[in-house]
Amino acid sequence: MSAPTRPPRRRRMLAAGVIGSLAASVCAFAPSAAFAADVPAPAAHYDMSHSGQALIDVSGNGRNAALTGFTDASFVDASGDAVLRFKKDGYASLPQGLVTGADNDFTVEYTVATQTATNQFGWVIGDGVGAWNTTQLGNHVFVNPRSAEGSYANQVLSGIRVKSGSSNGEVRLPAGGGLNPGFTTLTMVGSGSTLTLYRDGQVISTATHAYNLSSIVPTGSTLGYLGRSLYTGDALLQADVTDVKFWDTSLTAAQVAASMPTSGQKAATTQGLLRSDLLPIIVGANSSLDAVRSNLVLPASSNGVALTWSSSAPSVISNTGVVSRSVTSDTAVTLTATPAQGSPITFSVTVAAASASADLDALSIAPRTTENLPLVTKGAVDGSTITWTSSDAALVTPTDPAYAAPAVGMADPYRGGGLVERPAYGAGDREVTLTAHATLNGTTVQREFAVTVAEHGRTAPDAGYASAYFKSDSDEKIYQAATSGNDFFTFSPVNGGNPVIASTADTKGLRDPYILRSHDGDKYYMIATDLCIGCGTGWGPAQSQGSLKVEVWESTDLVHWDRTNGENTGITINQPEAGMTWAPEAYWDDDLQSYVVFFASRLYSDASHTNTDKLYARMFAVLTRDFQTFTSPPASWQDTGYARIDSTVTKIGDYYYRFTKNEESGAAGTLEAGKDIFLERSKVLTAPTTSSSWSADPTQTWQLTDTRMTSLETGQAGEGPEIIKLNEGDPNNASGDGYVFLVDNYGAGGYRAFVTTGDEIASSSQSNRLSQRSTWNVRPQGGLPASPRHGAFVSVPQTVLTAMHDWTSIAAVSSSTALTVNGRQATASVTAADGGDVAGAVTFAGGSWSTTVALSDGTATVTVPAGVTSVTATYDGYRDGLVSTSASAAAPVDGLTITANATLRCVAGKAQVVVAVHNASAVRADVTVATPYGSKTVSLAAGASTSASFASRLATVPAGTVAVTATGADGQTYGATTPTPAGACG
């Protein structure tokens, strides 16, 4: 008898909250008419309709499943069919009654699509989460739609488990292949001692067992789960699920074929999901398909379905997504994606006319900067030529019209523009206006940007060290530690040993943090790998479909971290053809005046990542000035044909020195040992490397100077090398040229340290290798953070060290103000307790007199006016509040102090000027009083007074001045004037 024709499957989604009462009603749905007489009605049918936190049983039996972790956004409409997108973020708890333990007969039909191969369960009957071969792990029967395990890799894995004695008791069905393209229906039928697995109605595997379902069905309220494994450590499911049914009976092969969604229905759902998945991909960097200006991304496959693309106007948009920018008016184009199965999918696209204004609109310049500015010279939207002018070229440089790219290494994408000369600390911020001139197709438009250039930040001598690291594959969060003082080997955890940053975005894992101090030294950047192995990502998928992002923060105290992009997400710096972005680090390039960010990645032939050749890891580099915008695409930095990862760089003299891990399992050409560190040098940081050569020219590329540097000493494979220059005063830095080199022994507890010098690093060569010298010895364990995995080490001043240990903001350091007086010159010197910069002003005061003078290099000087015999100096602090105020003791003012007072008197009708003089000094003084009517010199003892009269011979005199000068017995001098009043006699 032929299988009956199945009516169309229910294709609808139920909005959360709209039918809440319906979700709980057994009578909400009549039994489905989709099942003919010889196909039993299911015990439960989940077509991914949901209401609130309930997955609705549309069979009419009221066996709703409880949802955990999902939101309304987890459910999507694919051509009218509801699909639940499991993204390792939720699961459904199945109620009892779907399958009983009365016999071994049951059937589970499961329609799914997934490209994720990992340890996961699509569905499971059973309860009790635990480790392998434990009683905590409940007995169960399960299906994993795509496994990552060896002999089951990318195939369906299913089985039954009933623990007995010392045996785990798992019986697996033999591997029978993987999913079909698009949505696939996997049906497991249990009948007596046989389990049979169907793929789209065809048997792919069977197995026999000696177990009873009564040993599996739990006694609690939960029968099992959708999307949750019972094995500790397994990830939640990553897959798209559109239909699930349960029977408490065994279906025949014909019933299996009749019950499942038809191929047409699955193709329609696949196509609907393809459209919704493709749209955010194909737009690329464009905001929508309504105004396309940059290239589109046309993937060769999606959800495991191969796609062929065609364009209605290849000269405007090519069949590979390249967008022409020569169109002079908005142009409509139809893109068609033809899947290997199913109908073509069309997308309407409008290519916007090229416009220089669009390039100006895309420009974003920080209104205040502490870094060189990324003044781009090519429009990001339409490719305009952009030049910049500056209202103050000494503050911010304009584009250099004579710029020429170097013969070796990366070119400056900003062509000499955007270099910032910050005002000195204490001088205050300054303003500049930058003007962008965009030229396209003979038309030039311009736009002004007002920028505040921040003064230099306060600096202080380094007084200790900080570290950041992650702990293990199951603890992928960022931890920090700090030394107790200026001794590198005195690290202890900060923040109470708790994680400093735990990711809630992207992969939700953080590894390989690297901290870089800014070029000017007043902030820190941290950059980390976006990867979560503990979330269930296998090492294979992590390299083939890994994150193209880096996670980036900045801080001034290493306690409070802010995303540089202001969003809770990483920044994409890698290309679509890349497989991952691992262990990013950064270093300042003196030639490019930018930071070079470098990282390891596989590189595929195209964005579909389908090829399997040349997939060794290699190193790439991009430039940034602000850790917000990065050059694109990444430049090839190290590609020798062998796998290499984890580079770190330091500069000694004129050379950059680069430590890198040979990722090969063995020798890699000149590199004689795999999983170990080698050393190279170059005068050009961004110079490309195409081979490992002892004789390479370091002015043109990187020259090999050492290899197999750690494993012979540590006995372990190593990665994540780090190099740090020791602080002055560190007891480990007896030579003053000390460095610590660290290697992550990832299989044996983390970092081990070698103490060396800059001279030893710089002098390494093929005939005199650093690692073969008697001074190259691994230091005994101790003094480093506990369990430190691939991290970073950086020098810090005392304020940051204290803030980290107290886990609070930076506190103001105390100051002292010393005052010296030489004659009438008073000089105040202000010193900070940490030996760092001091800016601000000093107020001098004596008696009723005071004046405020700005500090210059920590000092301020003033001339004390006559009559002031004692003075004090008070440091008033600075607007940043980083140094506390302080005051000096009072100091006497040495030198002559003469006071004079002029009056008029009348004698015989004529006016006389009378000047009273007092010597307030401690020594005898010869005082000269000069008036318009003559002068007189008198000798006055210390503390003595006298007066002198001057006849004018005039009845009326105008107002005037009297000059008083004096010379003391010890050679000191004095000079001042005093007024005379006007008057008349007679």
Side-chain angles (χ1 to χ4, degrees), residues 149-160:
E149 294 189 29
S151 59
Y152 289 90
N154 290 303
Q155 300 185 71
V156 182
L157 169 61
S158 61
I160 186 170

Side-chain angles (χ1 to χ4, degrees), residues 603-881:
L603 189 64
Y604 287 81
S605 298
D606 55 40
S608 65
H609 298 190
T610 53
N611 64 291
T612 58
D613 60 325
K614 298 182 179 179
L615 297 183
Y616 54 91
R618 59 197 88 169
M619 296 296 297
F620 295 87
V622 296
L623 303 181
T624 185
R625 285 183 169 177
D626 54 12
F627 285 90
Q628 298 179 45
T629 58
F630 299 80
T631 55
S632 181
S636 178
W637 193 38
Q638 304 176 53
D639 185 357
T640 65
Y642 297 100
R644 49 168 65 188
I645 62 173
D646 295 359
S647 286
T648 195
V649 172
T650 192
K651 191 174 188 184
I652 303 173
D654 293 332
Y655 288 89
Y656 296 95
Y657 291 85
R658 183 174 72 192
F659 298 84
T660 305
K661 179 192 179 185
N662 173 16
E663 181 66 348
E664 297 286 344
S665 58
T670 313
L671 308 178
E672 73 260 28
K675 309 301 182 184
D676 206 349
I677 312 303
F678 58 93
L679 175 62
E680 299 163 297
R681 69 168 187 162
S682 178
K683 284 193 171 183
V684 182
L685 177 57
T686 59
T689 305
T690 56
S691 65
S692 301
S693 173
W694 297 102
S695 59
D697 182 354
T699 66
Q700 302 297 310
T701 183
W702 288 78
Q703 177 188 28
L704 184 66
T705 64
D706 204 352
T707 180
R708 199 179 188 180
M709 296 186 68
T710 69
S711 59
L712 294 177
E713 288 290 324
T714 65
Q716 301 288 335
E719 65 184 20
E722 293 298 326
I723 184 75
I724 181 170
K725 182 172 177 59
L726 291 171
N727 297 336
E728 182 179 346
D730 186 324
N732 305 287
N733 189 16
S735 68
D737 184 35
Y739 283 78
V740 171
F741 171 80
L742 301 110
V743 60
D744 176 10
N745 290 164
Y746 52 93
Y751 274 112
R752 299 293 303 277
F754 297 74
V755 178
T756 184
T757 67
D759 181 67
E760 287 183 318
I761 295 170
S763 61
S764 185
S765 65
Q766 182 179 13
S767 60
N768 183 21
R769 289 162 56 177
L770 170 62
S771 63
Q772 294 183 354
R773 298 173 187 167
S774 61
T775 54
W776 184 254
N777 300 296
V778 65
R779 194 178 184 277
Q781 289 183 316
L784 296 178
S787 302
R789 289 293 317 282
H790 198 151
F793 300 83
V794 63
S795 296
V796 296
Q798 185 62 55
T799 52
V800 173
L801 194 65
T802 300
M804 291 186 71
H805 282 298
D806 294 342
W807 208 244
T808 186
S809 300
I810 287 177
V813 299
S814 60
S815 71
S816 59
T817 299
L819 178 64
T820 59
V821 178
N822 182 14
R824 305 210 67 81
Q825 295 291 310
T827 300
S829 298
V830 184
T831 304
D834 63 354
D837 295 338
V838 180
V842 169
T843 297
F844 296 90
S848 61
W849 165 83
S850 70
T851 190
T852 299
V853 181
L855 284 169
S856 176
D857 294 327
T859 65
T861 300
V862 70
T863 299
V864 181
V868 177
T869 59
S870 178
V871 67
T872 59
T874 301
Y875 171 55
D876 300 324
Y878 191 51
R879 62 187 179 189
D880 58 11

Side-chain angles (χ1 to χ4, degrees), residues 137-226:
L137 175 64
N139 295 328
H140 58 269
V141 58
F142 75 98
V143 165
N144 176 355
R146 189 181 289 270
S147 173
E149 294 189 29
S151 59
Y152 289 90
N154 290 303
Q155 300 185 71
V156 182
L157 169 61
S158 61
I160 186 170
R161 185 260 195 185
V162 176
K163 181 170 176 55
S164 176
S166 61
S167 171
N168 183 66
E170 184 176 85
V171 175
R172 293 183 172 184
L173 278 69
L179 302 176
N180 289 324
F183 278 95
T184 301
T185 300
L186 299 173
T187 307
M188 176 177 278
V189 178
S191 179
S193 61
T194 301
L195 292 176
T196 303
L197 185 65
Y198 295 80
R199 178 182 60 209
D200 287 336
Q202 301 297 315
V203 175
I204 61 171
S205 186
T206 63
T208 59
H209 62 89
Y211 301 138
N212 293 317
L213 206 58
S214 59
S215 299
I216 292 176
V217 174
T219 59
S221 61
T222 299
L223 173 69
Y225 302 96
L226 299 180

Side-chain angles (χ1 to χ4, degrees), residues 9-13 47 76-83 242 268-269 272:
R9 180 165 57 98
R10 182 188 304 274
R11 292 171 174 267
R12 62 196 185 96
M13 299 175 65
D47 70 351
V76 297
D77 184 350
S79 296
D81 194 14
V83 176
T242 184
T269 302

Side-chain angles (χ1 to χ4, degrees), residues 121-141:
F121 282 6
W123 61 262
V124 62
I125 296 173
D127 199 4
V129 177
W132 175 270
N133 202 23
T134 64
T135 56
Q136 287 76 30
L137 175 64
N139 295 328
H140 58 269
V141 58

Side-chain angles (χ1 to χ4, degrees), residues 349-363:
V349 181
T350 299
V351 177
S355 166
S357 294
D359 285 325
L360 289 182
D361 291 341
L363 293 176

